[in-house]
Amino acid sequence: MPVRSVTWKTDRLGKAGETEAEVVNPDPLKYPINNGAVVRIKDGDQKIFYGFVFNVKGGREDTVTVKAYDQLKYLMYNDTFVKKKMPASQAITEILKKYNCVVGSIAGTRVVLPAIVEDDKKALDVITQYLDNTLTATNKIYVLFDNFGKVDLMLADNMRIRPEDFYIGEDSLLYDYEYEASIDDDTYNQIKLVRDNEKKSKREVFIAKDSSTIAKWGMLQKFRKVDDSMKDAAVKQLAENLLQLHNREKKSLKLSAIGNWRVRAGRFMYFRIDKYGINRYFLIDEVEHEWKEGVHTMDLKVSVF
């Protein structure tokens, strides 16, 4: 069947990959497109999307619109999760197998995380929490994604698109953008952790801070109560890790550019925009590709990490 247009969306956290295609099908009874059917999208040797139909919509016109998700969609339903202490990579592998996902390459995350008991939670949200906790403990970003029919867990550093291959900038692919530098959301220069000590009948306070950015921005405090079983050293390390993670301006870009199918959420990519002194890697948080009438474009949201 001829295809008039295709979109493909990926998000770094908490969502399944999604595609929507406008397909010419004047006789849907003779050539039915059924929910649950497999959808594969390739461009030459480039494998782009493998997933399953979840919605088919048509009318008087000869076209139907088909929406499909990759297998991460099956992790977006609620359940109960009980896990003992283990690394995120082990917990995620167990969750993927529980929901019959095809497991691909899983990078070992090594650091052992606390046991969890979660009720009425989406599996993908539980996985996101594991990845967030691993980021806090190690300062490393891991990305879970569907790699054309297999679910991979990879270190984002190993998914860089090198500028020698291609980059996005005023002289390369880019045709519109919006740049933002902010301390208004998720920026903290003082971390205050408290632990209730029942034996001593008192609340113990642990603080990590950066006096230089406090002098520049004022005090931006993050408060958290930690488990009373945590040792002093672990609480102090957690405070330092949170400070390292959040004590920075949040720099982000929204861009529109000529499309390239290698660009997907979770990858680092190089950007050059002289007007704002940008000449570095950004992490791709969201990207939506559109192919229509032979023209391939993409809209991205990226941030500094």
Side-chain angles (χ1 to χ4, degrees):
M1 298 176 197
V3 177
R4 288 186 174 170
S5 66
V6 174
T7 62
W8 175 47
K9 301 178 188 176
T10 53
D11 287 72
R12 184 168 63 86
L13 290 171
K15 291 183 180 178
E18 175 185 337
T19 189
E20 193 166 285
E22 188 182 13
V23 179
V24 178
N25 186 9
D27 193 348
L29 291 179
K30 186 176 181 180
Y31 303 105
I33 301 174
N34 299 315
N35 285 320
V38 171
V39 174
R40 298 180 187 84
I41 299 176
K42 298 174 68 177
D43 186 358
D45 294 333
Q46 181 75 45
K47 296 177 179 178
I48 301 166
F49 176 87
Y50 184 103
F52 306 93
V53 176
F54 271 73
N55 185 282
V56 183
K57 186 167 55 179
R60 292 175 61 88
E61 303 294 329
D62 286 346
T63 58
V64 294
T65 301
V66 181
K67 178 184 285 189
Y69 297 96
D70 62 34
Q71 60 186 318
L72 296 190
K73 175 69 173 176
Y74 298 107
L75 303 175
M76 298 180 70
Y77 298 91
N78 289 25
D79 205 343
T80 297
F81 301 88
V82 179
K83 297 288 179 190
K84 60 183 181 182
K85 292 194 297 184
M86 63 179 71
S89 50
Q90 181 182 344
I92 290 169
T93 300
E94 290 180 2
I95 292 171
L96 293 176
K97 290 180 177 177
K98 178 180 180 180
Y99 294 97
N100 299 317
C101 293
V102 180
V103 180
S105 176
I106 303 294
T109 54
R110 296 185 180 179
V111 63
V112 176
L113 299 176
I116 65 162
V117 178
E118 299 285 359
D119 194 29
D120 197 18
K121 284 276 189 74
K122 291 181 176 62
L124 202 50
D125 289 343
V126 173
I127 289 173
T128 298
Q129 190 60 53
Y130 269 111
L131 297 180
D132 283 347
N133 291 341
T134 300
L135 171 62
T136 301
T138 65
N139 209 29
K140 293 181 179 178
I141 295 177
Y142 289 85
V143 182
L144 186 83
F145 65 101
D146 186 293
N147 188 6
F148 204 69
K150 293 183 179 179
V151 181
D152 288 351
L153 178 69
M154 294 185 67
L155 192 61
D157 274 336
N158 293 336
M159 298 171 63
R160 291 178 185 266
I161 299 173
R162 298 169 58 85
E164 294 83 0
D165 295 335
F166 70 95
Y167 65 92
I168 292 179
E170 291 156 313
D171 61 346
S172 175
L173 306 179
L174 180 67
Y175 59 84
D176 197 11
Y177 68 93
E178 178 182 293
Y179 172 65
E180 182 177 358
S182 173
I183 58 169
D184 194 31
D185 180 40
D186 210 34
T187 295
Y188 306 101
N189 49 27
Q190 177 162 300
I191 308 298
K192 182 177 182 180
L193 304 181
V194 299
R195 180 184 63 192
D196 291 332
N197 189 326
E198 294 186 1
K199 291 181 179 178
K200 298 180 180 178
S201 299
K202 70 174 187 178
R203 170 164 281 188
E204 297 164 322
V205 178
F206 300 80
I207 288 180
K209 63 181 180 181
D210 181 350
S211 299
S212 63
T213 57
I214 290 175
K216 187 162 56 174
W217 301 331
M219 189 177 72
L220 310 171
Q221 178 171 285
K222 183 178 182 65
F223 176 89
R224 182 189 290 186
K225 184 178 178 182
V226 300
D227 192 283
D228 58 8
S229 65
M230 288 184 70
K231 304 295 185 186
D232 284 7
V235 180
K236 291 176 181 175
Q237 187 62 57
L238 177 60
E240 291 295 336
N241 290 350
L242 288 171
L243 183 64
Q244 183 179 359
L245 195 59
H246 294 287
N247 182 33
R248 65 182 77 177
E249 273 186 319
K250 187 175 181 181
K251 297 179 179 178
S252 59
L253 284 163
K254 295 179 182 177
L255 310 103
S256 298
I258 302 299
N260 185 304
W261 295 118
R262 293 178 60 191
V263 178
R264 66 170 303 149
R267 302 194 75 165
F268 280 103
M269 186 169 181
Y270 213 86
F271 293 85
R272 291 177 180 164
I273 301 176
D274 292 339
K275 181 178 179 179
Y276 290 99
I278 295 169
N279 191 10
R280 59 168 299 162
Y281 280 102
F282 278 65
L283 179 63
I284 302 170
D285 293 316
E286 301 175 25
V287 58
E288 179 175 353
H289 292 263
E290 182 182 51
W291 179 90
K292 188 174 185 179
E293 298 176 352
V295 178
H296 180 189
T297 59
M298 57 187 179
D299 294 318
L300 302 91
K301 293 182 180 178
V302 303
S303 58
V304 168
F305 178 78

